[in-house]
Amino acid sequence: MSIATKHVVHVRDKIELSDIERSIFDRLLATLRHFNLHTQLRVAGGWVRDKLLGKDCYDIDIALDNMMGTEFVDKVREYLLSIGEDAQGVCVIESNPDQSKHLETARMRLFDMWIDFVNLRSEEYAENSRIPSKQSFGTAEEDAYRRDLTINSLFYNINTDSVEDFTKRGISDLKSGRIVTPLPPKSTFLDDPLRVLRAIRFDEDLKVAAACSDVKDALAAKISKERIGTEVDLMISGNQPVKAMTHICDLTLFWIVFSLPPEFEPAIPDGCERLCISYLDTAWNLIHLLKESTFTDEERRLSLFAALFLPLKNTTYQVKKAKMVPVVNYIIRDSLKRKAKDAEMVLDLHRASKKFLSLIPFLASNENLQPDDVNWTIGLIDDVSVASRGRVLTGFLLRDLKDLWRVALLVSILLHPIDINNIEDESSELHKRRDLFNTVESSIIKLGLDKVWEVKPLITGKDVMNVLQLKGGGPLVKEWLDKSMAWQLANPSGTTEECIDWLREAHSKRVKLE
């Protein structure tokens, strides 16, 4: 396999432990001595790689060569109690073959750090299955060759305070920045097809193996939707979401990862996946142009999911009782097995962005809204003056969105047409979108609507029933409560008495017209 050298990376000759890491490992070694255990304790994977690169890492996974993680954690707990220390947070994460989690993991907290303990393993798999047909204790070398990349196959032996490179390539590949699989790439990906999604960078040989039909079929057939969804969530929440989604696209895995229902309409045009990534790219760059405090981590995650699926917002599929639902719902809930709340929020953001789009002319330049511009109002602004329509509709939209209104605004800004006649490059377009976001945000704040959902209605359903002389609630009460809120938004300094007077007069006019 020919591997291109990327660049030379400074790699330390020896791992330098922090005071906390040294204290943790001292307790583990003391446990071995206390019980006269002949167990080799090895830290595996990313911690070793990061420490050799001089980076901090707080994810310590310890592999045991001759006992289960739960057995060893019990011994550690017993030893700690014998010296008067508490064993914190001891728990067992059970194996779950249905979720492609085949190893029981024991976890405990030492010196305020979570440590995971598993046994080294050797596994054999049945055809078309990620459930091992045979499991046994393996050697460290066998475990190293089962890893996804050579740079992740290194061990730090706590007993000997030394780095172990069983593939004989981990250190050299780390120094040269090469991305290489311990076994032939196709074998590594077929062993666990999820590795295709986990790799951040790909050498050309790896791209060929990752994109081959066998690996794509294995990813679709062997790996649970939950695992794929978790990996996608980590990508979107990470620091290189665009790069990750571009890799998925380059490997022709986009519609395998984001699989669609059997039937949907209208047809999705060729190249739609590239458009999805283009929206994601714009959203990602726009988020970084805006003030750092504009979005929380969760809001950023929702923004990026909403942006990624924007080109699919009008594509629907049929569910029970002939109801048509956006395919985005299917992708998030069925293909990625994410929470129903995630799907609901992304769909809400798509719907809200369309409404926000119609309000941008008013919010950006204080133009009066025309009824034709806002065809989603359903009579909400019939009794409102032209000058107040914009404030009323913006208020209602933000009362629905609450704290997510900035996220919905961001999504609508992605859809808003930008005059490209005077734009020199892509960054100029981004800056125009950022300026538009800031203008609309400032307008909403000046209108006093940035926390409008906290505004208490001036009148209640009981008030409406008294004025209309109704004996019970129902759609009519809801309609007049909405109209009363519209009046309140149009008259921000109005009183309860004034609102009731308006309600009485407006209802009287309707009765006369009818």
Side-chain angles (χ1 to χ4, degrees):
M1 176 168 57
S2 65
I3 303 295
T5 301
K6 308 294 183 185
H7 53 274
V8 177
V9 178
H10 176 67
V11 176
R12 295 182 174 184
D13 295 327
K14 186 175 174 62
I15 283 181
E16 297 177 13
L17 301 178
S18 67
D19 291 341
I20 289 177
E21 289 165 344
R22 190 170 299 283
S23 297
I24 291 169
F25 297 161
D26 283 347
R27 293 296 187 278
L28 301 182
L29 291 172
T31 301
L32 295 181
R33 291 192 297 271
H34 183 78
F35 292 100
N36 194 28
L37 299 174
H38 302 288
T39 301
Q40 294 291 309
L41 305 174
R42 292 179 170 91
V43 187
W47 182 90
V48 187
R49 179 198 65 225
D50 287 350
K51 294 293 287 187
L52 288 171
L53 293 173
K55 299 177 182 178
D56 290 329
C57 185
Y58 304 100
D59 186 14
I60 300 180
D61 297 320
I62 295 179
L64 312 163
D65 67 339
N66 64 0
M67 65 192 306
M68 302 291 287
T70 49
E71 293 178 71
F72 185 68
V73 164
D74 285 342
K75 297 292 186 186
V76 176
R77 177 166 50 184
E78 191 175 336
Y79 168 71
L80 291 175
L81 291 173
S82 75
I83 61 171
E85 293 183 5
D86 289 332
Q88 298 177 333
V90 176
C91 63
V92 176
I93 303 168
E94 301 287 348
S95 62
N96 188 344
D98 289 339
Q99 301 295 322
S100 294
K101 178 172 178 21
H102 313 303
L103 275 179
E104 180 182 85
T105 302
R107 176 173 290 177
M108 74 185 310
R109 197 167 175 83
L110 289 172
F111 297 94
D112 288 329
M113 282 185 69
W114 285 105
I115 319 293
D116 284 353
F117 298 86
V118 296
N119 58 288
L120 292 170
R121 72 273 191 194
S122 175
E123 298 172 353
E124 295 176 14
Y125 295 94
E127 187 69 21
N128 292 323
S129 175
R130 276 295 301 148
I131 300 177
S133 56
K134 181 181 178 183
Q135 273 196 89
S136 58
F137 282 105
T139 65
E141 183 174 353
E142 285 173 329
D143 196 277
Y145 275 97
R146 288 190 61 260
R147 301 277 164 171
D148 56 352
L149 301 172
T150 53
I151 60 173
N152 294 333
S153 68
L154 298 165
F155 290 103
Y156 170 71
N157 190 315
I158 297 174
N159 302 56
T160 60
D161 184 26
S162 62
V163 175
E164 298 171 329
D165 184 3
F166 290 103
T167 68
K168 306 292 192 293
R169 295 185 303 186
I171 298 292
S172 61
D173 290 341
L174 191 58
K175 287 180 177 178
S176 59
R178 287 180 296 188
I179 302 301
V180 187
T181 53
L183 296 172
K186 187 174 177 180
S187 298
T188 297
F189 290 143
L190 285 174
D191 177 50
D192 186 352
L194 195 65
R195 288 168 175 165
V196 171
L197 303 186
R198 284 182 175 160
I200 297 171
R201 293 176 290 150
F202 286 90
D203 172 84
E204 286 306 312
D205 285 347
L206 297 193
K207 283 185 178 180
V208 171
C212 79
S213 58
D214 287 350
V215 172
K216 286 199 279 190
D217 291 345
L219 183 64
K222 291 184 180 182
I223 304 301
S224 70
K225 302 289 189 183
E226 287 85 356
R227 289 183 75 204
I228 291 175
T230 298
E231 206 60 40
V232 168
D233 218 328
L234 290 170
M235 290 173 177
I236 290 291
S237 302
N239 57 9
Q240 293 182 315
V242 180
K243 185 176 182 179
M245 292 303 119
T246 302
H247 280 320
I248 288 174
C249 200
D250 289 344
L251 296 169
T252 63
L253 294 170
F254 194 88
W255 299 117
I256 290 174
V257 172
F258 305 112
S259 58
L260 297 164
E263 295 181 9
F264 52 86
E265 59 181 44
I268 292 174
D270 290 341
C272 181
E273 62 271 35
R274 294 290 176 187
L275 185 57
C276 290
I277 292 169
S278 176
Y279 275 115
L280 176 69
D281 186 33
T282 304
W284 174 252
N285 290 319
L286 193 51
I287 287 168
H288 285 271
L289 272 180
L290 294 166
K291 287 183 299 188
E292 193 174 330
S293 61
T294 303
F295 302 104
T296 65
D297 289 346
E298 175 62 6
E299 287 168 352
R300 188 186 78 166
R301 184 181 77 92
L302 288 170
S303 300
L304 296 177
F305 268 121
L308 179 65
F309 298 135
L310 257 183
L312 302 171
K313 68 184 188 324
N314 295 324
T315 305
T316 60
Y317 70 107
Q318 190 171 358
V319 293
K320 56 187 176 182
K321 296 183 180 177
K323 183 181 179 184
M324 301 302 288
V325 177
V327 296
V328 175
N329 179 73
Y330 181 92
I331 293 172
I332 296 174
R333 296 187 66 171
D334 293 86
S335 301
L336 302 178
K337 295 293 183 184
R338 299 292 87 193
K339 295 177 291 187
K341 188 178 179 183
D342 280 353
E344 290 163 9
M345 284 187 166
V346 170
L347 294 183
D348 284 346
L349 288 171
H350 284 175
R351 285 188 285 263
S353 65
K354 186 177 180 182
K355 295 179 181 179
F356 242 132
L357 263 178
S358 64
L359 296 173
I360 284 177
F362 158 72
L363 293 166
S365 57
N366 215 20
E367 296 175 11
N368 285 332
L369 284 175
Q370 301 305 316
D372 291 344
D373 298 332
V374 282
N375 55 11
W376 45 274
T377 61
I378 318 175
L380 210 54
I381 55 174
D382 292 350
D383 302 322
V384 174
S385 68
V386 172
S388 299
R389 284 175 185 162
R391 188 179 197 277
V392 171
L393 292 177
T394 305
F396 268 99
L397 182 55
L398 267 58
R399 283 178 72 83
D400 284 341
L401 288 166
K402 298 183 173 61
D403 282 315
L404 282 179
W405 70 264
R406 284 183 174 85
V407 180
L409 173 59
L410 178 86
V411 177
S412 70
I413 295 293
L414 300 179
L415 294 167
H416 193 271
I418 295 291
D419 181 11
I420 58 173
N421 292 328
N422 300 319
I423 289 179
E424 296 176 4
D425 53 37
E426 191 177 323
S427 65
S428 299
E429 181 185 342
L430 271 174
H431 282 84
K432 280 201 168 192
R433 294 191 188 278
R434 178 202 59 189
D435 293 345
L436 182 58
F437 180 98
N438 288 334
T439 299
V440 173
E441 180 188 42
S442 296
S443 179
I444 287 170
I445 292 170
K446 284 177 185 175
L447 287 167
L449 296 174
D450 51 318
K451 290 284 186 182
V452 68
W453 57 92
E454 295 178 356
V455 172
K456 186 179 177 182
L458 289 173
I459 64 173
T460 66
K462 189 175 180 180
D463 294 325
V464 172
M465 289 166 63
N466 286 338
V467 171
L468 272 59
Q469 297 182 338
L470 299 172
K471 292 183 178 179
L476 191 60
V477 172
K478 171 71 168 61
E479 178 190 344
W480 282 103
L481 279 175
D482 286 344
K483 284 181 173 292
S484 298
M485 177 52 70
W487 181 90
Q488 185 174 340
L489 289 167
N491 301 273
S493 57
T495 65
T496 298
E497 291 74 18
E498 289 170 337
C499 188
I500 288 176
D501 287 343
W502 167 84
L503 172 62
R504 188 176 286 112
E505 185 180 338
H507 179 249
S508 178
K509 283 181 182 178
R510 178 187 285 194
V511 170
K512 287 176 183 176
L513 287 172
E514 289 174 350

